[in-house]
Amino acid sequence: LKWTYGSTVGLTVSGVPATSISLIRYTTTTHSTNTDQRLLIPTILFANATYVVFKVPPNGNVAPPGNWHVFAMSKDGVPSVAQRVLMGPGDMTAVTVPSGGVTVPTQGAVGTTSKSDAIRVVVAAGVAVLVGLML
């Protein structure tokens, strides 16, 4: 999966709703020093019980190109299992941000998607699992 800088992406959520997203860069360590650690928490543009939309960081100064883990977090701070995403330059893509802005997710809702390349966030027993990406 590849995200390009400045794109707007959406995640379909199943089970416990995702209330935040975090992006963690793969790290490199040499001589006990890790100079590549990064944690980004993008602003959510829309969220409800089954869908979360957010903007990918704008450029490589904020998010250096390369592999990143994307996590969906529950309202209790429980992260999903990470999904690898390659972030870098390219043509921006955008999903439509549903009207109505951010809504408060509700517990126990189930979301589905018909896209074969979609990220589904499946939550069982309070633990979320990312399965695909929606562009």
Side-chain angles (χ1 to χ4, degrees):
L1 301 174
K2 182 175 181 182
W3 287 347
T4 55
Y5 295 128
S7 293
T8 303
V9 296
L11 302 177
T12 299
V13 181
S14 293
V16 177
T19 57
S20 69
I21 301 296
S22 41
L23 303 167
I24 300 177
R25 181 165 166 76
Y26 285 23
T27 63
T28 56
T29 304
T30 182
H31 300 88
S32 302
T33 303
N34 186 345
T35 60
D36 216 15
Q37 235 173 12
R38 297 265 201 289
L39 167 65
L40 300 175
I41 301 174
T43 301
I44 292 178
L45 304 174
F46 174 86
N48 65 20
T50 61
Y51 194 56
V52 179
V53 177
F54 62 95
K55 197 145 185 95
V56 174
N59 58 50
N61 295 328
V62 176
N67 290 307
W68 289 73
H69 280 135
V70 59
F71 293 89
M73 307 283 275
S74 73
K75 71 177 180 73
D76 297 322
V78 178
S80 65
V81 172
Q83 177 72 34
R84 184 190 60 81
V85 175
L86 178 62
M87 198 174 322
D91 294 333
M92 285 193 297
T93 58
V95 297
T96 302
V97 178
S99 61
V102 175
T103 61
V104 178
T106 58
Q107 285 287 28
V110 176
T112 59
T113 180
S114 60
K115 294 190 174 202
S116 61
D117 63 345
I119 285 184
R120 266 184 70 222
V121 182
V122 180
V123 183
V127 178
V129 179
L130 285 173
V131 182
L133 167 67
M134 203 166 196
L135 292 176

